[in-house]
Amino acid sequence: MRAALDDPDPWRGLRGTVLRFAEHQVRHRGLNEALLGSHPAGAAFAGQRRAQARGLEQLVERARSAGGVRPELSVEDVRIGLRAIASFRAGSPGSAAVAVRRLADLLVAGMSRPHP
């Protein structure tokens, strides 16, 4: 999130965040369950999750203000997409990897500002 917020192009930062999140879901399945699921180990990361959530809010707002995303895009829209990506943790590793990458590409395409 720090790298995304430091990127001078907020759309590139947001797009990269979504794609990195998707890649992380594919590569670190067990860790994701501990951090994002109900596993007790995830409690230790609550503060970091809150900081990441605030960073995502800033990133979406910056991208919207710069005109890089659809004007109606909200942080909640992005969160819904990230939750959809995370839901593929339960699938088989091979099929989940393909589905996660496709879904991430669709999410990014849907967030971007349409070009005339």
Side-chain angles (χ1 to χ4, degrees):
M1 189 59 69
R2 283 185 211 119
L5 288 169
D6 288 342
D7 192 320
D9 181 340
W11 165 239
R12 185 175 52 212
L14 180 58
R15 179 182 176 278
T17 296
V18 170
L19 296 176
R20 281 188 301 277
F21 180 84
E23 188 62 32
H24 194 274
Q25 295 303 305
V26 171
R27 290 186 183 197
H28 306 287
R29 294 165 59 94
L31 177 62
N32 294 331
E33 192 58 40
L35 296 178
L36 301 174
S38 59
H39 193 281
F45 298 96
Q48 290 176 340
R49 282 194 305 268
R50 284 191 297 275
Q52 295 290 327
R54 287 189 301 273
L56 184 62
E57 290 170 5
Q58 293 172 344
L59 194 55
V60 170
E61 180 54 40
R62 284 181 53 217
R64 193 173 45 239
S65 294
V69 298
R70 295 174 175 274
E72 70 275 12
L73 183 76
S74 71
V75 71
E76 189 55 31
D77 294 330
V78 177
R79 285 184 181 132
I80 289 168
L82 296 178
R83 282 195 299 270
I85 289 169
S87 72
F88 283 97
R89 289 192 316 263
S92 70
S95 65
V98 171
V100 162
R101 288 184 186 106
R102 289 185 69 190
L103 181 56
D105 288 342
L106 288 168
L107 177 61
V108 165
M111 291 185 327
S112 67
R113 184 176 197 92
H115 298 294

